[in-house]
Amino acid sequence: MRSLRTQIAVATCIVVFATIVAACILSNYLTSGMFAACMAAHYPAVAAFSVIFSVAMSFILARQISHPIVKAAAVTEQIAAGDYDVRFESPTKTTELHDLVEAVNHLAGALSKQETLRRQLTADVAHELRTPLTTLGTHLEAMTEGVWEPTPDRLNSCHEEILRLGKMVSDIERLERAEADDLQLDKTETDLFALAQSVTDNFAGELSKKNLRLDLCGEASIVSVDKDRIAGVIGNLISNAVKYTPDGGGIRITVEDKDKAGILTIEDTGIGISETDLPYIFERFYRADKSRTRGTGGAGIGLAIAKSVVTAHGGEVTAQSEPGQGSRFTISLPK
């Protein structure tokens, strides 16, 4: 693969070389040595040949450059019209044009992914709202029409559904604040190991209830973070590990101190995450198991908030998992 600059330089050299050769041949330079005189005599022929050859080379080079660009313009128009499955299939041997083709295809893939997630988000939010609203509507209708007596238990059930809707709205507001560009962070010098130990202590009851073993190891690592927000991130990851690790399993938390970052890793021996779901677990309202209700599977925003908070700190959170083998979440926070 050659760069566009190289191709232009080669084409220019070919034109110059062809012009010199033509001049030499037409002027009998090799035999007579009367270059200047012959050049003067044959100048029109040499000039005509140079012009024709230059135009031909320019046309060929321009075609090689313009065809992928025109094709890319057509593809981007299709993408703008909402056809995110279109791809640029024409191969090119020019480095810059190859990069352009790759960028267009990457853009189409990213937009396709976002469109799929947008539709999934709409469906998930509708599903989350439908259940409590349907319950409320059914109960209130029955009591209004006299089918049911408005007993304290039935009124309490309606109240619980209203609280459920309120919590859902609160979750969405938390996510919006976490993803805000102007998220305010109250950073202080914090020992990541000590923070992890403090958060872990809050799960003693749940760990004991499921007979789970939790090991915390590593070393002190001082990072500049918003202590409360990072504690929330660690708590969310530990909560997920506890929730999806079978009774008698284990959880391991490791803290490493690197030159430029503190690394915290949470591993479990839980049910794991499928390869299909793994790329989407940090997306809003995404739940790998569609059959889980809000009560058993959560709203699907905990990991989205975790990613937003870590990203706001300039860090990174990643996940690795094998179904049936467990999951591994790694948080990297700059110092």
Side-chain angles (χ1 to χ4, degrees), residues 7 10-12 14-15 52-62:
Q7 292 187 53
V10 170
T12 303
I14 292 174
V15 171
I52 294 172
F53 189 80
S54 299
V55 170
M57 289 298 299
S58 299
F59 178 80
I60 294 173
L61 184 60

Side-chain angles (χ1 to χ4, degrees), residues 114 117 121 124 171-180 183 229-230 232-234 236-237 240 273 277-288 297-313 315-319 329 331:
Q114 289 302 314
L117 292 174
L121 171 62
D124 287 344
D171 287 344
I172 295 174
E173 289 177 341
R174 284 173 54 219
L175 179 61
E176 189 278 330
R177 288 195 298 269
E179 293 185 334
L183 178 64
R229 293 186 185 275
I230 295 301
V233 171
I234 298 173
N236 177 266
L237 295 179
N240 287 342
I273 305 167
D277 293 315
L278 194 58
Y280 306 105
I281 60 173
F282 292 107
E283 300 294 340
R284 309 178 192 93
F285 295 97
Y286 190 86
R287 289 203 299 265
I301 68 170
L303 290 179
I305 292 176
K307 181 179 179 180
S308 296
V309 170
V310 173
T311 301
H313 282 80
E316 183 182 21
V317 56
T318 58
F329 287 84
I331 302 173

Side-chain angles (χ1 to χ4, degrees), residues 4-325:
L4 184 59
R5 184 178 302 173
T6 300
Q7 292 187 53
I8 293 175
V10 170
T12 303
C13 291
I14 292 174
V15 171
V16 172
F17 178 74
T19 303
I20 294 174
V21 171
C24 291
I25 293 174
L26 292 175
S27 63
N28 295 317
Y29 175 81
L30 297 177
T31 57
S32 65
M34 300 175 63
F35 178 75
C38 291
M39 275 294 292
H42 299 287
Y43 177 78
V46 174
F49 176 81
S50 299
V51 169
I52 294 172
F53 189 80
S54 299
V55 170
M57 289 298 299
S58 299
F59 178 80
I60 294 173
L61 184 60
R63 179 177 175 79
Q64 289 181 340
I65 296 172
S66 64
H67 178 71
I69 294 176
V70 172
K71 179 67 175 178
V75 170
T76 53
E77 287 181 1
Q78 290 179 266
I79 295 173
D83 183 5
Y84 303 131
D85 294 327
V86 66
R87 294 294 184 273
F88 196 146
E89 302 295 346
S90 300
T92 176
K93 296 182 179 180
T94 302
T95 302
E96 291 83 357
L97 297 180
H98 174 77
D99 292 342
L100 173 63
V101 169
E102 290 296 311
V104 170
N105 287 338
H106 178 74
L107 172 63
L111 290 175
S112 178
K113 175 183 174 182
Q114 289 302 314
E115 178 64 15
T116 300
L117 292 174
R118 184 189 66 80
R119 292 177 181 176
Q120 183 65 47
L121 171 62
T122 302
D124 287 344
V125 172
H127 174 74
E128 294 287 347
L129 293 174
R130 185 183 300 112
T131 302
L133 288 175
T134 300
T135 302
L136 272 174
T138 302
H139 287 192
L140 291 175
E141 182 180 6
M143 287 185 283
T144 300
E145 294 180 356
V147 178
W148 283 358
E149 289 292 331
T151 63
D153 287 343
R154 287 168 179 162
L155 291 174
N156 184 60
S157 177
C158 291
H159 182 247
E160 288 178 353
E161 294 301 327
I162 292 174
L163 292 178
R164 183 179 177 183
L165 286 169
K167 188 175 186 303
M168 191 183 309
V169 172
S170 177
D171 287 344
I172 295 174
E173 289 177 341
R174 284 173 54 219
L175 179 61
E176 189 278 330
R177 288 195 298 269
E179 293 185 334
D181 292 334
D182 58 347
L183 178 64
Q184 299 298 316
L185 300 175
D186 183 17
K187 290 186 176 183
T188 57
E189 296 296 312
T190 303
D191 182 353
L192 195 57
F193 184 89
L195 182 61
Q197 189 169 39
S198 174
V199 175
T200 300
D201 292 340
N202 298 329
F203 290 89
E206 296 178 51
L207 292 168
S208 177
K209 184 177 180 180
K210 295 187 68 175
N211 192 30
L212 298 177
R213 183 187 72 259
L214 190 147
D215 298 321
L216 175 62
C217 57
E219 57 190 329
S221 180
I222 306 301
V223 291
S224 179
V225 297
D226 186 318
K227 185 176 180 179
D228 292 336
R229 293 186 185 275
I230 295 301
V233 171
I234 298 173
N236 177 266
L237 295 179
I238 296 176
S239 177
N240 287 342
V242 171
K243 185 182 299 182
Y244 300 121
T245 298
D247 292 5
I251 299 171
R252 181 182 179 87
I253 302 175
T254 306
V255 177
E256 298 177 82
D257 186 50
K258 302 294 186 181
D259 291 339
K260 297 183 179 180
I263 310 295
L264 183 142
T265 304
I266 299 177
E267 301 176 81
D268 63 59
T269 58
I271 60 176
I273 305 167
S274 71
E275 185 178 352
T276 302
D277 293 315
L278 194 58
Y280 306 105
I281 60 173
F282 292 107
E283 300 294 340
R284 309 178 192 93
F285 295 97
Y286 190 86
R287 289 203 299 265
D289 186 349
K290 308 303 181 191
S291 65
R292 291 176 189 155
T293 64
R294 183 180 172 84
T296 60
I301 68 170
L303 290 179
I305 292 176
K307 181 179 179 180
S308 296
V309 170
V310 173
T311 301
H313 282 80
E316 183 182 21
V317 56
T318 58
Q320 297 172 298
S321 186
E322 284 286 339
Q325 301 297 318

